[in-house]
Amino acid sequence: MSGGLTGRPTDAPTAPASVAGLLRDIADVGRDATRGGYSRFVYDDGETTLREWFVAEAERRSLEVETDRNGALWAWRHGTGGATGGPGGTAGPGAAVVTGSHLDSVPGGGAYDGPLGVASAFAAVDLLDARGVRSERPLAVVAFPEEEGARFGVACLGSRLLAGAITPDRARALTDADGLTFAEVAARAGLDVDRIGPDPARLAAIGAFVELHVEQGRGLVDLGEPVAVGSAILGHGRWRFSVTGQGNHAGTTLMLDRRDPMVAAAGIVLAAREVAIDHAGARATVGRVQPVPGGTNVIASRVDVWLDARHPDDAVTAAVVAEIHRRAVAVAEAEGCEVVLVEESYGGTVHFDDGLRARLTDVLPQAPVLDTGAGHDAGVLASVVPTAMLFTRNPTGVSHSPEESVEDDDAQTGAVALADVLESLLLRPQEPIVS
Ligand code: HGY
Ligand code: MN
Ligand code: MN
């Protein structure tokens, strides 16, 4: 295999690619003309094109690409002396340094949530090569599938499978809006879905995972800094309220003869807002309501309401959900309806590895340390490997929206910071990255 940190590949980008340039190359992939922004759902055309982009950028750098059992893409630069990374690699346990993020988006999402971390990783590889950094440690750029859970409903599906945080059977049975299962869709994309699940050998090979991500808030804007080090991720989960009533005709059913689940659903939406405000620091959102059958002149027979709730204290999140559920039952009964609550996913508050975070703040003393209310694959992997995050400034502070933004200069500053961190982690291969 040509190249590697032992020497720049012949067909590599002559000058280090800029993050902005890498993102411009994919700027038209998966645009959503209806919602605005981007809709790139796992294994749909847009995300598949981004996978092809990932492979092409990896191959331009002579990174050895593999798809893991759960559909994540790994682009390896093996160490000097041929020490290979990944499961069964010769580099040994805890040797590899891994960076990356995700390629999928929420519906109508911004251009940076996910792809910024992957583009910054490729740009950081170029910077390391330009600096002549050589290491016995393997280095990988990774892209995890279905981080947003926008198609199959469970966030960080690929990293949860890798870490054993969701059972393969449950993952295979998850369905999308068309009723297709993850198993069907992933198999069509070429994945052997009988093999999805935990990958302890792959995890054992990782000494540190560092994810760079656009900041999904105004912390850096208000501090006047381009890059932050991550400290923690708020605990958060997703619940589905299924409200059932009596489907009927909108014109012939008198108002007092109705059992309208949409009325109860409206009560749940308002309860989410009121209860979250009553619990300082809590966030509760209903962003998705699905009436069945969904006709303008039809009283729905059922309405599904999805709740996203978050708080630094897991007990408070539980209390918020319980209170919203209590109010949902009351408003449903008043309308002659029934409500069933199902927890679809939950992850408690994550504090990143202290030792690794200290390494990052040593390398980036200027960078503030910020927590985040947004979930990430790094939040899932933090339970199984030493994990850290970097955030790049977002001038609007807006995310999960086309208004999400990153200035080109800040994007490059983020890649340089990531390269500085990776260079530090790649050194001293004889010692554990984090003691
Ligand atoms: O929902 C989240 O916090 C993340 O963007 N998936
Ligand atoms: Mn997101
Ligand atoms: Mn993200």
Side-chain angles (χ1 to χ4, degrees):
M1 193 206 95
S2 71
L5 283 178
T6 51
R8 241 173 118 62
T10 48
D11 62 344
T14 44
S18 71
V19 178
L22 285 159
L23 290 175
R24 262 193 296 278
D25 293 345
I26 56 173
D28 290 331
V29 177
R31 280 192 186 281
D32 188 321
T34 307
R35 300 180 179 104
Y38 295 89
S39 292
R40 298 156 166 172
F41 304 141
V42 69
Y43 296 127
D44 76 356
D45 292 347
E47 195 252 13
T48 300
T49 303
L50 292 185
R51 286 172 174 266
E52 292 160 0
W53 166 80
F54 179 99
V55 172
E57 287 303 329
E59 288 175 348
R60 274 161 55 85
R61 295 162 175 84
S62 277
L63 302 175
E64 187 176 350
V65 182
E66 53 151 344
T67 303
D68 76 9
R69 64 179 61 172
N70 299 308
L73 292 169
W74 298 70
W76 287 100
R77 173 141 299 161
H78 299 306
T80 53
T84 54
T90 59
V97 175
V98 180
T99 184
S101 191
H102 61 96
L103 297 171
D104 66 302
S105 76
V106 294
Y112 300 93
D113 179 350
L116 178 71
V118 178
S120 301
F122 283 127
V125 166
D126 291 349
L127 291 167
L128 292 173
D129 284 344
R131 296 176 188 175
V133 173
R134 304 283 182 274
S135 171
E136 291 173 27
R137 290 187 184 282
L139 172 65
V141 175
V142 65
F144 289 106
E146 187 68 337
E147 188 278 339
E148 298 291 2
R151 182 167 186 179
F152 292 101
V154 172
C156 301
L157 182 59
S159 51
R160 282 178 193 263
L161 279 165
L162 170 62
I166 185 171
T167 66
D169 282 345
R170 179 168 179 229
R172 276 187 281 263
L174 293 172
T175 56
D176 67 8
D178 299 325
L180 295 173
T181 65
F182 177 71
E184 288 167 310
V185 171
R188 269 187 219 157
L191 201 65
D192 176 355
V193 292
D194 294 333
R195 294 190 61 243
I196 66 172
D199 196 341
R202 183 174 298 276
L203 293 172
I206 300 172
F209 172 61
V210 181
E211 178 172 4
L212 182 146
H213 202 280
V214 58
E215 189 196 354
Q216 295 164 297
R218 293 185 49 83
L220 284 167
V221 174
D222 296 341
L223 291 168
E225 289 290 339
V227 174
V229 171
S231 55
I233 293 179
L234 250 58
H236 60 285
R238 301 180 182 190
W239 290 264
R240 186 183 73 246
F241 290 86
S242 291
V243 191
T244 49
Q246 175 60 60
N248 212 325
H249 193 294
T252 57
T253 314
L254 301 180
M255 294 313 289
L256 294 181
D257 294 341
R258 296 179 180 212
R259 293 191 293 116
D260 184 349
M262 191 64 94
V263 172
I268 294 169
V269 173
L270 294 173
R273 164 65 68 94
E274 289 160 14
V275 173
I277 289 173
D278 287 349
H279 292 74
R283 294 113 206 236
T285 310
V286 173
R288 185 176 161 214
V289 175
Q290 200 160 328
V292 174
T296 302
N297 57 350
V298 178
I299 302 169
S301 54
R302 193 183 91 228
V303 178
D304 287 333
V305 178
W306 280 269
L307 170 71
D308 176 310
R310 311 187 187 207
H311 191 277
D313 179 339
D314 297 338
V316 174
T317 306
V320 163
V321 174
E323 175 58 16
I324 294 169
H325 185 206
R326 191 188 67 75
R327 296 189 189 194
V329 169
V331 72
E333 280 176 1
E335 184 62 26
C337 294
E338 290 190 359
V339 60
V340 173
L341 174 63
V342 174
E343 178 178 287
E344 292 194 339
S345 64
Y346 186 72
T349 291
V350 167
H351 297 279
F352 292 120
D353 183 281
D354 287 336
L356 188 57
R357 195 183 67 243
R359 291 283 298 269
L360 269 70
T361 48
D362 286 347
V363 172
L364 305 169
Q366 178 74 10
V369 178
L370 297 177
D371 67 17
T372 178
H376 301 282
D377 291 305
V380 173
L381 290 188
S383 63
V384 286
V385 296
T387 297
M389 286 196 78
L390 290 174
F391 299 121
T392 301
R393 177 165 47 193
N394 169 353
T396 65
V398 173
S399 185
H400 285 186
S401 157
E403 292 151 62
E404 180 183 85
S405 80
V406 174
E407 303 289 344
D408 290 358
D409 288 351
D410 283 351
Q412 201 57 28
T413 302
V416 170
L418 179 60
D420 293 348
V421 164
L422 296 176
E423 181 173 358
S424 165
L425 299 180
L426 285 166
L427 301 180
R428 296 195 298 279
Q430 305 315 327
E431 301 165 19
I433 291 176
V434 182
S435 48

